[in-house]
Amino acid sequence: MTETDHSSNLLERLKSNPDCLSKSEKKVAQVILSNPDSAIRSSIASLAKAANVSEPTVNRFCRSLGCSGFPDFKLRLAQCLATGTPYINRDVESDDTVEQYTRKIFEANLSAISDAQRSLDYNAVAKVVQTLADAKKIDFFGSGGSGPVALDAQHKFFRLGTPVAAHTDSLMQRMAAAGASPGDVIMIISNTGRTIPLIEAATIARQAGATVIGLTTPSSPLTEVCDLYLGAENSENTEIYTPMSSRLIHLAIIDVLATGVSLLRGPDFQDHLRIIKESLAETRISNKDK
């Protein structure tokens, strides 16, 4: 990940109360969020005092966010503020007008997808694509708002020559996981990575010999029980409103993975995709008929 990647969404990451921060480090985050401009001008001693923590805690806070130390953190924070985009209240308020909440939702989604693209680990993407391409069978698991993403993944991957299924019910997920075997791949989609039935299903699937891939928040509990994972940072408020941004991010990543597998199949595989596409022609009204 580049320096620009870290700085572009630094304040948004802090607002999301990331799991990578300890309780003491979150005190530092609160002080910075209360006045980011002041934090840039602060010494490590003054920031530690304001947060009522030790100076080593401030350094650990900086490293938790991918910075080499406090000076590096202040530089990236300054770059973040200079862009003028990250520290905007995109949360919908009860007194927002139609124009305001519409604009907030569009801006939040555009920003979230852009941030996720910049933070994506392309080496991890390549490993996941290869694993999916080599799979004997693929199952996609998703619950709640991630359920439609799992179904979309099934829709895209069934055309790629590998048996595929999607499960959004926790009991079906457990049974599918228990019935998996070596060579099978189970991809678990979860915005928070904290959904207990999905974590349990991942554990069961690995015990059965399947390869488990997570599409989730970095450093979440789900990542600890996966063989591979793609981390997608997202700072949206999921406590009240439906997590739309995370779904759009995950849908985009599923597109990336399906395209990657298709390309690995080689040029001859394009004929297979063309035949499937052409089979739909008779189900649509032709433009010539208008």
Side-chain angles (χ1 to χ4, degrees), residues 7-259:
S7 62
S8 62
N9 63 353
L10 190 58
L11 285 173
E12 288 287 0
R13 289 186 65 197
L14 291 180
K15 283 180 64 183
S16 70
N17 196 25
D19 294 333
C20 64
L21 298 181
S22 68
K23 186 175 180 180
S24 295
E25 291 167 356
K26 287 179 180 179
K27 292 182 180 179
V28 181
Q30 290 172 356
V31 171
I32 291 169
L33 286 172
S34 66
N35 194 338
D37 291 299
S38 176
I40 295 174
R41 300 188 296 271
S42 297
S43 65
I44 189 171
S46 61
L47 182 58
K49 182 178 180 180
N52 196 26
V53 299
S54 66
E55 293 183 27
T57 297
V58 176
N59 270 321
R60 285 195 299 272
F61 161 82
C62 296
R63 289 193 294 270
S64 295
L65 293 173
C67 303
S68 60
F70 187 56
D72 184 36
F73 171 79
K74 289 206 297 183
L75 174 62
R76 295 181 183 184
L77 180 59
Q79 292 173 337
C80 181
L81 292 175
T83 65
T85 56
Y87 200 56
I88 297 173
N89 179 16
R90 296 189 179 94
D91 294 333
V92 174
E93 306 291 347
S94 59
D95 58 350
D96 280 349
T97 65
V98 172
E99 180 182 353
Q100 287 173 326
Y101 66 68
T102 299
R103 186 173 64 250
K104 283 183 178 181
I105 290 170
F106 272 86
E107 288 177 353
N109 288 334
L110 290 169
S111 176
I113 292 174
S114 179
D115 286 344
Q117 186 271 324
R118 285 193 294 266
S119 66
L120 204 57
D121 183 340
Y122 295 116
N123 289 327
V125 171
K127 291 178 182 178
V128 170
V129 167
Q130 188 66 62
T131 301
L132 291 169
D134 295 338
K136 292 193 305 183
K137 181 169 74 75
I138 304 171
D139 284 340
F140 293 97
F141 292 0
S143 299
S146 296
V149 183
L151 294 171
D152 182 72
Q154 178 192 28
H155 175 73
K156 289 185 170 67
F157 272 80
F158 96 96
R159 314 174 192 202
L160 302 184
T162 302
V164 60
H167 301 291
T168 60
D169 175 81
S170 61
L171 297 182
M172 287 297 296
Q173 290 165 355
R174 291 179 75 93
M175 289 189 288
S181 59
D184 293 347
V185 171
I186 291 180
M187 186 164 191
I188 299 181
I189 304 161
S190 173
N191 178 38
T192 66
R194 300 193 304 269
T195 304
I196 293 173
L198 290 175
I199 295 171
E200 292 176 344
T203 303
I204 293 169
R206 289 187 73 184
Q207 291 172 346
T211 299
V212 179
I213 301 171
L215 176 53
T216 186
T217 300
S219 303
S220 66
L222 178 60
T223 64
E224 298 175 5
V225 293
C226 291
D227 297 290
L228 299 168
Y229 78 89
L230 293 177
E233 291 276 10
N234 186 30
S235 59
E236 71 186 337
N237 177 4
T238 62
E239 301 305 319
I240 300 178
Y241 300 105
T242 303
M244 176 58 76
S245 294
S246 65
R247 266 188 284 171
L248 293 175
I249 291 169
H250 290 166
L251 287 168
I253 292 175
I254 291 297
D255 276 347
V256 168
L257 299 178
T259 300

